[in-house]
Structure formats: structure tokens, C-alpha cells
Amino acid sequence: MNKREQDKYKKLLLKKRQEVHNAMKHIEEDALKSSQRDASGDLSGYSLHMADIATDNYDREFSLGLATNAQQILYQIDEALKRLKEKGFGNCLSCEKPIAKRRLQAIPYASLCISCAGKQEGGRRRSGSGGEVA
Ligand SMILES: [Zn+2]
């Protein structure tokens, strides 16, 4: 991979990191807002019927799931930036073959080639391998 390509992926990674960061901030603010609503002791909240409460809980769990996922992606982006600096970026961590350009374009932080990612998905369910996009 030449310098120009490296720069391109570095930019992609930094941009992605910013995006994930913004999304996480948004999720945190949302979570904060709903816990503040709980803590306010607003009795009108108790008049909500069960279905609404269930939906609210579901939303919060969903947001927390997203936040965890975002954290994982941030970690993977940092790892990819490290590999970009120290060499090894763009090669599969498992079989060491180059990762397809198309895949890197879609997931610049991918650490596995599509076939290794697929194998991992099939074997043990492990999220955060970057194998969610073909
Ligand atoms: Zn591989």
C-alpha cells in the first residue's frame, strides 16, 4: 500500500472516529435525559400505562447497546490507526492476506479479510470483528 492510499485510509478512519464520537455523545445525552426524568420524581410519569414504560425501557437498553457497540468501533479504529502507523494495515490479522479494497473502503477499521471474518462469524458468534459488511 502506497503513501497516498495510507493517507486516504487515515482520513477515512479519523472521519469515522469523529462520527462515532458524535453518535456516542448523542446517545449519552439521551440516556442522561431519561435518567434525569426518572430522578425528578415527576409523578405524572406514574400515570403512564405499562406499554409506554416498557417501550421506554426498551429504548434505553437499545441505546446502551449502541453505546457499547460504538465503544468497540472506536477501539477498532484506534487499532487500525496504530497498524497504519506501524505497518500491517490492510492485511488480514488472521491469514495475513491483503483485505479487499472494497471492504476497506466500507470498513476502514476492518482487521480481517472477508473470508476470515465469515469463518469467525460462523464459528463463534463474536461481534466487533468488522465482519458485518461484505
Ligand atoms: Zn484472512
Side-chain angles (χ1 to χ4, degrees):
M1 187 177 288
N2 62 39
K3 185 90 179 68
R4 255 181 77 170
E5 274 182 310
Q6 283 185 356
D7 280 349
K8 189 182 84 179
Y9 287 120
K10 190 179 171 184
K11 270 186 204 140
L12 269 176
L13 283 163
L14 292 175
K15 194 173 148 237
K16 190 84 190 162
R17 186 158 73 168
Q18 193 59 48
E19 277 172 24
V20 176
H21 221 88
N22 290 344
M24 259 173 82
K25 235 176 120 183
H26 191 75
I27 293 165
E28 271 168 25
E29 278 163 13
D30 266 9
L32 201 68
K33 256 183 246 158
S34 34
S35 56
Q36 270 170 353
R37 200 171 56 209
D38 287 348
S40 70
D42 184 356
L43 284 174
S44 71
Y46 291 106
S47 64
L48 286 170
H49 59 79
M50 288 312 284
D52 286 340
I53 294 167
T55 312
D56 194 49
N57 281 340
Y58 172 78
D59 282 350
R60 212 172 316 158
E61 266 166 47
F62 184 67
S63 305
L64 286 176
L66 276 181
T68 314
N69 200 24
Q71 202 98 50
Q72 272 175 6
I73 292 174
L74 276 184
Y75 173 77
Q76 286 180 58
I77 290 173
D78 282 341
E79 287 294 298
L81 283 168
K82 226 189 282 171
R83 287 199 301 276
L84 203 54
K85 225 197 267 173
E86 294 166 0
K87 258 185 169 179
F89 177 82
N91 287 329
C92 175
L93 283 185
S94 178
C95 69
E96 289 173 19
K97 280 184 207 146
I99 299 171
K101 295 263 159 71
R102 233 183 89 233
R103 178 166 164 77
L104 280 179
Q105 193 78 40
I107 329 167
Y109 51 87
S111 58
L112 294 173
C113 71
I114 187 70
S115 85
C116 289
K119 263 182 245 164
Q120 212 169 61
E121 287 283 304
R124 47 198 174 115
R125 283 238 162 255
R126 182 172 159 245
S127 59
S129 63
E132 59 276 348
V133 180

